[in-house]
Amino acid sequence: LQKAAQNLKSIIPIKFHISSRTDTGVHALCNSAHLDIQRAPGKAPFHARELVCSLNHYLKPEPIRILSAHRVADSFHARFSAQSRTYVYRLLVGCSHHSEIPVFERDLCWAPAGGQDAAGFLLGTHDFSTFRSLNSETPFKSPVKTILQADVRPSSGLLSHHYEYRGLEFLELEFRSRSFLYRQVVRRMAGALVAVGQGKLSPCHIKELLEKKDSRAFPPYAMAPPSGLFLKSVAY
């Protein structure tokens, strides 16, 4: 993005401010960012469609596209003005071996053995210390977050109607909150729910993990991989 924006020939340096940061390997269905552009004297401001087409032209080799652009007030900030963020974790149930994952779904879902059912324990305001990783920011960031939505629902896979006979089932875990703790919180929640479905944890263990408030108490086998996680949307 930063490199593509240099071609807009702004007379001030362009810096992108992104709404959310994610782990390596996580995807985004839709993300938000803001930037300031100042054109040379005598040049009219970019129209939204012109800006979208120009950036996408220079982003051709990259797995990223600009979907839309809007003019905003100077007080707007892509990260701090956000009211909520929604993440989706995609699961594939019915695979006995990773080689059974459809080729079009590789690196876009997780295929564990078993299901999940304990999402309700995560709803509401909790201390999520157990569900975060330790880093240099840990002592300065409050671990208290409010999960506004934690749903499990059936989904469909890419071209899944062509291999229905294989007995594969897609599920989506959807989480919404104003903000999430840095690194791996959603992956830990998804992994813990899968561990419940596998019988490795009981539903009440989710509540116990929250009450321990200690990241070292989180079972290492319950970490979901980044490939199934998608930032779905950011609301303002």
Side-chain angles (χ1 to χ4, degrees), residues 89 91 110 112-117 173 189-200 224:
Y89 199 97
L91 298 173
W110 180 29
Q116 58 295 307
D117 182 23
L173 313 180
M189 291 192 295
L193 295 182
V194 168
V196 170
Q198 294 173 322
K200 296 177 181 178

Side-chain angles (χ1 to χ4, degrees), residues 202-214:
S202 67
C204 64
H205 279 146
I206 302 294
K207 184 179 180 182
E208 292 175 7
L209 287 172
L210 287 168
E211 291 172 347
K212 287 183 178 179
K213 303 176 184 178
D214 183 355

Side-chain angles (χ1 to χ4, degrees), residues 86-89 119 123 147-153 172-176 180 186 193 232-233:
T86 301
Y87 283 87
V88 168
Y89 199 97
L123 281 172
I147 301 298
L148 303 170
Q149 177 185 359
D151 294 334
V152 182
R153 59 171 176 264
E172 288 186 359
L173 313 180
E174 186 163 313
F175 302 95
R176 180 168 57 90
F180 293 88
V186 178
L193 295 182
K232 177 183 177 180
S233 60

Side-chain angles (χ1 to χ4, degrees), residues 84-131:
S84 69
R85 296 161 173 85
T86 301
Y87 283 87
V88 168
Y89 199 97
R90 299 182 70 238
L91 298 173
L92 176 58
V93 180
C95 289
S96 58
H97 189 267
H98 66 83
S99 62
E100 297 177 11
I101 299 174
V103 66
F104 297 111
E105 292 287 354
R106 289 179 185 172
D107 298 324
L108 296 174
C109 64
W110 180 29
Q116 58 295 307
D117 182 23
F121 287 102
L122 297 169
L123 281 172
T125 302
H126 305 284
D127 183 319
F128 282 93
S129 292
T130 304
F131 287 80

Side-chain angles (χ1 to χ4, degrees), residues 38-55:
Q38 186 172 334
R39 304 198 73 185
K43 285 193 173 281
F46 282 110
H47 292 294
R49 185 61 191 164
E50 183 183 7
L51 184 62
V52 169
C53 291
S54 295
L55 287 173

Side-chain angles (χ1 to χ4, degrees), residues 18 26 38 41 43 47 62 93 102 113 128 135 158 168-169 213 215 229 234:
I18 309 293
V26 175
Q38 186 172 334
K43 285 193 173 281
H47 292 294
E62 305 297 333
V93 180
F128 282 93
N135 60 71
L158 181 64
L168 302 179
E169 178 187 5
K213 303 176 184 178
S215 64
L229 183 58
V234 183

